[in-house]
Amino acid sequence: MSTPALKLPRGLRFGVHILLILMAIPCILPLLWMVSTSLKTDEQVFPQATEGVAAVSITDFVPSPVKWSNYPEALQAVPFGTYLKNTLFLCFLNVVCAVFSSAMVAYGFARTEFRGKTVLFVIMLATMMLPPQVVMIPTFVLFQKIGWYGTYMPLIAPYCFGVPFYIFLMTQFFRNIPSEISEAARIDGCSEFRIFFSIYLPLSFPVLATCMLFQFISTWNDFFGPLIYLNDPSHYTIAYGLQQFVGAFDGQWALLMSGATVFTIPIIILFFLAQKTFIQGISTTGGK
Amino acid sequence: MITERSKIIFKVLGAALLAIGLLFLAFNPSSQVTRAYPDREEVVFWHMWTGEWTEVVNRIVKRFNESQEEYEVVALPIPRSGADFKFLLSVAGKTPPDVMAQWRSVLPAWASQGVIMPFEDLMSPEELEAMKEMVYPVVWDIGSYDGKFYGLSVGLNIWALYYRPSHFVEVGLDPDRVFASMDELDAASEKLFRFDASGNILRIGFLPQHFHGWLPSFGGSLYDWESGEVTLRTPANLAALEWMQGYTHRYGLDRIIRFNSSLQSGTGGTMDWPFISGAYSIAFDGQWRVEQLARYAPNLDYRVMPVPPGGTEGLPQAGLVAATFMIIPEGAKNPRGAMEFIKFWSGIVDPDRAAEFYTWGGWLPISQEIAEAPAYRAYVGRYPQFQVFLDILPSPNLTILPPIVEQNYLMDRMNQMEQRVLRLSEEPEPALQGLMIELEREMSKRRERP
């Protein structure tokens, strides 16, 4: 269901667009700085006045000369190919496991009746309130005891058993789907699994896509997981590997920004591609 | 209503998920690093030298691995933002590395908690005594806690005054003359400040920061080594803090904030150091800037001088020394190998050989033997500014941070206190008093813990 577009006079619409563009500038500045720095030499990164304060000007954003070689240098300075492969491997498994397991649990909460459902739902929600620091040490010790320290397992296994936030989102979404549909299907002899797979999942694409996107971004950006559990540079992910650029007392800014640009582009592309579905998923679960 | 068929399907799916989990278990992609010398004993070494520094560390590790046939050091760079956390978790999980390089204020706390191993367990008393004789006294102090030795430095850090000779000449100061007192520094700074017609700052002559770094030059200290107590409210410490606040009074908080805000991002990196752009004529900073300036601003004309004595109790060639030191965690699988590596790198066993490592990283040596080694002399020949720092090293007026468990806490609270004083929201005397109360409260909390 789409909302009818707001009709504004042409002049006013133009003005609104100008205003929105102006308001968007501060948001896009860091991104522009990142891309611009990625094409600069070390000396250009921070403008140096021979004396006194260097005033920041718009020309500072234009690299001169443009140093394209920062990109191949950055990609060679650390094994980006390996990091990318590892990250995509984790992203794929985490997205599949997290979304599928969460959807199953959410369906249970939304459309089946069993004793203690409300209590379980509240407990599940309560786990979202726990700060990660609280569970980190026991979780680490647990994974270490079962021999998973130094492997990918602690970064994958927890997602095979549902993610509370996704379960909550999906439960809300499933509850919005008229129960008459599932009841009619049940009368026609459909099993719960068939209802879940053939009716609920196809109708829930926006929320599934939203959770997929959330999980993808979360795994893509995860720094602490690989930091804690991985000990072999050949298993590092992009978010963790990117930190290798940050030197002990200094940063190789141009290279760091080249790496960051490469790191950010897939997320931006993904967001633009999935933008409509993403917003639909959020708005559908947010309001009744 | 759930049908029997659905129940079966859900059970099958649950079993499938479990099977996936078991498959992962079986697959269990081990994260072991490929070894160059698999027949040797492995020594796992964690450090925080990332970026361009990793290569320096790898070269030293390679030299060690080539120097003997018993051990193989496997180095793992860890981003410093999470290194302590990873280390502590690994100790808790009984899978720590064999050795780690550190530079944070962690040694007393970790030693008191039994997280790291005393060197007494791994070195004979004669060896320890010989090492103590060899290294600068501060190296021994930095590594000691409660009568035992826990961390051997592999590089020292000292701060001094960097200055721009061209600015000195411009205002009629002699760039060859070293300041004899803090009053001379103040007077020079006054001349070097530049303002526009509206009174806004165009250039800062000098602006003191890092309270703890200035204390020794005022004859102050944070710790009484005789009584083993923290000393914050001393006349010398107060004089140092009042002197620092004097700059804010003289040049105006608003003007200073406005000027500093107009500078670049201020992340503390080399490129945005205001000294390079000429926004500051004199800057108080560490010896690592020499190497960085050679790399990032090779044509910059600058010099270095020691901090002059200040106040009535001031001391020459004084300063606070920090270090990068090696620690061995409790539960390390190969502490003997770790010890051999530490001796190799630090130069305890062969100062001439280790001198080269110090030059690769631009680190200050831990002993006079290393400082006088041919490789290090050649390095100082290339970077004469380093000599200023080397001259300070043997000084009896050097001090270190208090060897107390709350060292990190103290540093954190002291930095906050300094900011309040410099921003004129608190007067120096009550600020020091308040800091002492905060510290005592924290210490008593620890004492009350079971």
Side-chain angles (χ1 to χ4, degrees):
Chain A
M1 194 168 65
S2 60
T3 316
L6 187 65
K7 283 282 175 199
L8 290 174
R10 179 175 280 215
L12 189 58
R13 204 164 35 175
F14 181 74
V16 167
H17 274 90
I18 293 291
L19 186 69
L20 287 174
I21 288 169
L22 286 176
M23 285 166 71
I25 287 175
C27 303
I28 205 168
L29 268 181
L31 209 65
L32 282 180
W33 188 84
M34 178 181 79
V35 177
S36 133
T37 305
S38 73
L39 294 168
K40 287 179 176 176
T41 59
D42 276 344
E43 292 76 24
Q44 289 178 62
V45 173
F46 294 105
Q48 294 170 32
T50 49
E51 199 165 272
V53 189
V56 179
S57 74
I58 198 77
T59 52
D60 293 339
F61 278 87
V62 183
S64 174
V66 176
K67 198 181 171 197
W68 292 104
S69 61
N70 280 338
Y71 280 87
E73 252 181 75
L75 296 177
Q76 281 162 15
V78 290
F80 256 101
T82 307
Y83 295 164
L84 183 67
K85 188 187 76 187
N86 296 337
T87 311
L88 289 176
F89 165 72
L90 283 175
C91 282
F92 173 76
L93 279 178
N94 285 357
V95 165
V96 171
C97 293
V99 173
F100 187 69
S101 60
S102 302
M104 280 181 70
V105 177
Y107 180 79
F109 279 128
R111 283 290 170 252
T112 61
E113 293 304 324
F114 55 91
R115 200 186 300 164
K117 187 170 96 169
T118 313
V119 176
L120 278 178
F121 192 68
V122 170
I123 292 173
M124 190 274 299
L125 286 182
T127 61
M128 283 166 53
M129 318 299 170
L130 283 174
Q133 292 85 350
V134 173
V135 290
M136 212 163 255
I137 292 176
T139 312
F140 176 84
V141 173
L142 174 79
F143 284 136
Q144 194 271 327
K145 293 263 183 239
I146 55 178
W148 286 357
Y149 178 59
T151 74
Y152 283 131
M153 282 304 289
L155 307 178
I156 299 165
Y159 297 105
C160 295
F161 304 96
V163 178
F165 179 58
Y166 305 155
I167 296 172
F168 172 73
L169 272 186
M170 289 178 187
T171 306
Q172 299 306 105
F173 194 94
F174 291 161
R175 280 177 181 163
N176 281 344
I177 296 173
S179 56
E180 289 81 4
I181 299 176
S182 53
E183 279 161 16
R186 217 168 274 138
I187 290 165
D188 287 345
C190 257
S191 66
E192 289 298 327
F193 177 75
R194 185 74 187 270
I195 296 169
F196 169 68
F197 236 85
S198 302
I199 299 173
Y200 275 75
L201 285 190
L203 284 175
S204 309
F205 182 68
V207 74
L208 295 179
T210 303
C211 292
M212 280 179 183
L213 195 66
F214 277 149
Q215 187 55 46
F216 184 87
I217 293 172
S218 154
T219 307
W220 185 271
N221 288 333
D222 185 19
F223 168 74
F224 268 98
L227 167 81
I228 293 166
Y229 292 110
L230 300 182
N231 284 330
D232 179 354
S234 71
H235 286 83
Y236 285 178
T237 56
I238 285 185
Y240 187 52
L242 203 66
Q243 287 288 326
Q244 303 297 318
F245 276 126
V246 184
F249 297 109
D250 189 29
Q252 294 163 279
W253 288 101
L255 290 186
L256 182 67
M257 289 307 126
S258 310
T261 307
V262 174
F263 172 75
T264 315
I265 282 172
I267 296 288
I268 295 173
I269 292 173
L270 191 70
F271 185 80
F272 276 112
L273 288 179
Q275 195 185 177
K276 276 189 180 170
T277 317
F278 179 70
I279 292 165
Q280 204 182 348
I282 292 287
S283 59
T284 320
T285 52
K288 277 203 161 188
Chain B
M1 196 180 143
I2 302 173
T3 63
E4 278 306 306
R5 192 171 154 221
S6 300
K7 280 183 186 169
I8 292 166
I9 290 170
F10 276 112
K11 277 179 189 166
V12 169
L13 275 173
L17 275 178
L18 198 66
I20 290 172
L22 289 172
L23 263 178
F24 278 137
L25 260 180
F27 174 50
N28 199 15
S30 175
S31 191
Q32 296 307 308
V33 180
T34 312
R35 302 265 308 274
Y37 306 97
D39 298 336
R40 298 188 192 174
E41 288 182 41
E42 186 183 28
V43 178
V44 178
F45 168 47
W46 287 1
H47 62 82
M48 297 184 282
W49 283 289
T50 52
E52 59 197 296
W53 294 89
T54 306
E55 191 45 42
V56 175
V57 175
N58 288 344
R59 282 167 74 191
I60 298 170
V61 167
K62 188 165 179 273
R63 281 284 184 90
F64 174 76
N65 290 339
E66 287 168 355
S67 72
Q68 42 73 52
E69 293 179 345
E70 197 175 351
Y71 305 108
E72 181 187 3
V73 168
V74 177
L76 183 71
I78 299 168
R80 58 187 184 276
S81 54
D84 292 357
F85 186 63
K86 183 179 171 77
F87 177 79
L88 289 173
L89 271 182
S90 73
V91 174
K94 299 194 181 354
T95 48
D98 295 305
V99 53
M100 186 185 189
Q102 258 291 353
W103 53 69
R104 295 186 209 264
S105 307
V106 293
L107 193 139
W110 288 2
S112 77
Q113 291 160 6
V115 171
I116 51 178
M117 200 180 278
F119 280 31
E120 280 79 358
D121 292 358
L122 301 160
M123 289 174 97
S124 67
E126 294 75 30
E127 264 187 305
L128 271 170
E129 196 52 41
M131 186 172 81
K132 188 177 179 181
E133 288 295 314
M134 182 187 176
V135 298
Y136 293 121
V138 284
V139 173
W140 188 259
D141 292 342
I142 286 170
S144 299
Y145 175 76
D146 202 19
K148 287 192 172 178
F149 192 78
Y150 288 90
L152 180 59
S153 304
V154 289
L156 300 175
N157 298 323
I158 301 182
W159 291 43
L161 296 174
Y162 287 76
Y163 66 100
R164 302 280 294 256
S166 60
H167 294 194
F168 275 46
V169 171
E170 175 197 310
V171 298
L173 290 167
D174 179 4
D176 297 323
R177 191 170 173 278
V178 171
F179 298 139
S181 69
M182 219 57 92
D183 291 339
E184 285 190 20
L185 169 62
D186 295 343
S189 172
E190 180 77 36
K191 284 187 177 177
L192 289 161
F193 260 89
R194 287 182 61 191
F195 304 91
D196 67 9
S198 315
N200 295 313
I201 297 172
L202 290 174
R203 180 176 74 195
I204 280 182
F206 175 70
L207 207 57
Q209 280 182 319
H210 308 297
F211 172 58
H212 57 279
W214 290 99
L215 293 180
S217 302
F218 279 81
S221 168
L222 295 170
Y223 192 71
D224 182 347
W225 290 87
E226 296 292 320
S227 65
E229 290 191 352
V230 177
T231 52
L232 290 174
R233 289 169 295 177
T234 65
N237 290 358
L238 184 61
L241 198 55
E242 283 174 341
W243 169 75
M244 291 177 75
Q245 197 190 44
Y247 271 77
T248 314
H249 282 304
R250 208 171 307 143
Y251 299 106
L253 178 63
D254 286 350
R255 289 200 297 186
I256 291 170
I257 289 176
R258 226 173 13 246
F259 178 78
N260 280 334
S261 305
S262 70
L263 299 176
Q264 298 306 317
S265 70
T267 53
T270 308
M271 304 307 296
D272 55 342
W273 190 29
F275 181 75
I276 294 183
S277 69
Y280 279 64
S281 297
I282 305 172
F284 180 53
D285 220 310
Q287 87 287 339
W288 56 84
R289 293 292 189 187
V290 174
E291 180 89 17
Q292 291 179 339
L293 287 171
R295 178 174 173 164
Y296 293 107
N299 300 320
L300 189 79
D301 181 24
Y302 77 96
R303 290 185 206 172
V304 183
M305 69 165 94
V307 174
T312 52
E313 301 171 37
L315 298 169
Q317 300 282 68
L320 189 127
V321 185
T324 298
F325 49 88
M326 296 286 202
I327 48 174
I328 301 175
E330 279 293 347
K333 289 182 188 66
N334 197 345
R336 299 264 159 217
M339 197 70 240
E340 288 308 308
F341 178 56
I342 294 172
K343 287 180 190 169
F344 176 87
W345 183 332
S346 61
I348 293 299
V349 287
D350 188 343
D352 282 349
R353 178 179 58 193
E356 203 180 358
F357 309 152
Y358 285 84
T359 67
W360 289 347
W363 297 307
L364 285 173
I366 62 164
S367 73
Q368 197 65 32
E369 280 95 331
I370 298 169
E372 285 166 4
Y376 210 86
R377 293 316 308 165
Y379 180 73
V380 176
R382 281 202 305 280
Y383 301 115
Q385 293 92 342
F386 243 88
Q387 189 59 48
V388 174
F389 297 98
L390 285 177
D391 291 341
I392 301 172
L393 273 177
S395 167
N397 299 329
L398 295 181
T399 185
I400 63 162
L401 292 175
I404 56 168
V405 177
E406 295 78 12
Q407 193 184 83
N408 216 5
Y409 177 87
L410 174 64
M411 293 309 294
D412 181 51
R413 294 303 158 116
M414 195 155 63
N415 288 337
Q416 291 176 22
M417 182 273 296
E418 179 185 329
Q419 289 309 311
R420 289 197 301 273
V421 169
L422 293 183
R423 286 172 176 264
L424 306 179
S425 54
E426 198 169 12
E427 286 304 307
E429 195 165 1
L432 283 175
Q433 196 170 346
L435 181 62
M436 193 67 218
I437 292 168
E438 273 189 293
L439 182 67
E440 279 168 354
R441 198 181 300 139
E442 185 66 17
M443 290 170 109
S444 65
K445 260 197 258 174
R446 177 174 56 87
R447 281 193 290 264
E448 283 162 16
R449 272 181 219 133

